[in-house]
Amino acid sequence: MSQTIVRLARRTDVASICELCKDEHWNYSVRMIERLLAYEPKGCFLAEVNGEFAGQVFSINYGKIGWIGVLIVNENYRRRGVGTLLMKHSIRYLLGLGVETIRLEAVPEIANLYRRIGFVDEFHSIRFLGTSRRQELLSGLSIERMSVKEMPRIADFDREYFGGDRMRVLKRLYQASPELCFYSQEDSQILGYIISYEMETGYRIGPWICKPHGVRFPVIARELLLTCMNSIEVGTKIYVGVPETSNTAIRILHNLGFTMTAKCIRMRFGKRLQEKPKAVLSISGPESG
Ligand SMILES: CC(C)(COP(=O)(O)OP(=O)(O)OC[C@H]1O[C@@H](n2cnc3c(N)ncnc32)[C@H](O)[C@@H]1OP(=O)(O)O)[C@@H](O)C(=O)NCCC(=O)NCCS
């Protein structure tokens, strides 16, 4: 009889986790997995079947909301309840911390797994792929490079639109590539910000968030994106995950030649959030929100 256990993931598991991601052609680098472990060391779970590594899941607690991602079960152990078991561990962990809403982005074929354990569909989330190239900035807006001292202000701004406190995640993303983090402000009020970071192949854009106010909203959004892309080597692959609620991001990306590669389903467990979805032009990642 086989025995399945779930335990906390450790740094020594990073190579196996990356291997499993690679088997699925998921674009996670060693640094990204190490960062996930660092964000939430007690929320990263591994399943073992008869002592063999069988799968993993990551969760992040942001206060009242939490995110779950990177759920993968090794092909040899699928359809035996291991994925469900890992999910239940993550959910229990987040609820135990006082999280009231858990979010994830589901591959459509797998959404039933999540529905069976209580998740409901919210909206679609679209994956875009493009290539960096030099673009002229037209608006004359001031886009500034972030520095550590702005992080608390950026995190406050982010909380208003994201719904939770992402300071520790934003800080580590900033530390990973400070040259790819920008913001715009007026009269000391943040109007928007953007972060990009390296993946196994190429760079991911996100979070990319702007205050959805006035006619300048799409201009600021576009200039932030262009400034960020202009700082990445020409010809590099750029990945962006956009909630379908953001027409502005979709329009900007289409105009820059990005193409849609996949559609996921944003799902929620627990309380519905009161949010301002228009502001969120891209998520930071399907595992981190
Ligand atoms: C998704 C995944 C983690 C599921 O792991 P698992 O251990 O096989 O899941 P479970 O055995 O707990 O499945 C529970 C239910 O989920 C649904 N489900 C799981 N895998 C499915 C699949 N490939 N297609 C359709 N439904 C699926 C089924 O309803 C299943 O119940 P059933 O076996 O009684 O029909 C695994 O298939 C995997 O690693 N896939 C590749 C990575 C991936 O897509 N991850 C999810 C991203 S959102």
Side-chain angles (χ1 to χ4, degrees):
M1 213 177 78
S2 69
Q3 196 204 3
T4 306
I5 61 146
V6 173
R7 66 164 173 85
L8 284 178
R10 300 183 279 261
R11 281 192 70 129
T12 46
D13 298 312
V14 169
S16 312
I17 293 168
C18 286
E19 202 56 40
L20 201 49
C21 291
K22 216 172 259 169
D23 289 347
E24 289 303 317
H25 307 289
W26 284 15
N27 200 359
Y28 284 86
S29 64
V30 169
R31 283 178 80 190
M32 288 168 77
I33 297 296
E34 284 176 347
R35 265 205 310 273
L36 287 175
L37 276 169
Y39 295 154
E40 197 81 27
K42 293 191 174 151
C44 309
F45 300 103
L46 225 78
E48 287 178 351
V49 177
N50 296 333
E52 296 286 328
F53 172 47
Q56 88 239 344
V57 71
F58 290 81
S59 32
I60 308 182
N61 143 52
Y62 294 114
K64 294 281 177 218
I65 73 166
W67 272 75
I68 296 180
V70 209
L71 172 71
I72 310 182
V73 170
N74 181 309
E75 255 180 333
N76 299 330
Y77 301 107
R78 288 184 189 169
R79 303 308 276 256
R80 303 186 193 180
V82 177
T84 304
L85 185 67
L86 282 164
M87 281 300 298
K88 286 185 174 169
H89 266 263
S90 272
I91 294 169
R92 201 175 312 129
Y93 167 74
L94 290 173
L95 296 182
L97 292 173
V99 166
E100 293 175 352
T101 306
I102 303 175
R103 280 185 147 170
L104 57 77
E105 301 228 320
V107 172
E109 306 80 64
I110 305 299
N112 271 343
L113 185 158
Y114 303 120
R115 292 186 189 114
R116 273 168 63 157
I117 51 179
F119 279 81
V120 294
D121 297 25
E122 293 197 294
F123 48 80
H124 282 110
S125 182
I126 308 168
R127 304 278 177 270
F128 282 95
L129 173 62
T131 311
S132 64
R133 52 196 163 109
R134 294 290 168 264
Q135 298 272 344
E136 204 183 328
L137 301 180
L138 298 172
S139 71
L141 275 171
S142 135
I143 304 288
E144 300 170 51
R145 187 163 274 161
M146 253 182 233
S147 70
V148 177
K149 75 176 193 330
E150 267 97 44
M151 291 312 296
R153 280 207 302 143
I154 299 285
D156 280 350
F157 173 82
D158 181 77
R159 190 180 309 117
E160 193 177 334
Y161 302 106
F162 175 70
D165 182 1
R166 267 204 291 201
M167 180 65 161
R168 72 192 191 288
V169 168
L170 298 180
K171 219 171 178 175
R172 280 184 186 268
L173 288 178
Y174 169 80
Q175 283 161 352
S177 12
E179 72 286 3
L180 297 178
C181 303
F182 299 92
Y183 70 105
S184 175
Q185 65 177 338
E186 189 175 64
D187 300 331
S188 302
Q189 299 288 313
I190 306 274
L191 299 176
Y193 81 96
I194 193 163
I195 288 179
S196 177
Y197 57 91
E198 197 171 7
M199 303 177 72
E200 183 66 11
T201 62
Y203 283 78
R204 186 184 276 159
I205 298 283
W208 174 27
I209 296 186
C210 274
K211 187 175 176 177
H213 184 63
V215 286
R216 285 193 310 164
F217 163 57
V219 182
I220 296 167
R222 185 171 183 277
E223 299 280 275
L224 280 168
L225 179 65
L226 293 188
T227 307
C228 195
M229 283 173 59
N230 282 347
S231 307
I232 296 172
E233 195 182 336
V234 172
T236 307
K237 282 184 178 168
I238 308 284
Y239 300 86
V240 197
V242 178
E244 69 173 352
T245 42
S246 182
N247 295 329
T248 302
I250 293 169
R251 210 171 310 119
I252 293 172
L253 292 169
H254 275 314
N255 287 338
L256 291 173
F258 278 72
T259 51
M260 190 183 119
T261 55
K263 237 181 189 183
C264 292
I265 304 174
R266 169 70 64 83
M267 304 186 88
R268 179 191 84 238
F269 181 99
K271 206 165 151 184
R272 190 184 184 140
L273 290 175
Q274 296 300 322
E275 57 188 339
K276 304 168 185 165
K278 211 177 145 193
V280 180
L281 298 143
S282 85
I283 57 170
S284 118
E287 70 297 317
S288 48

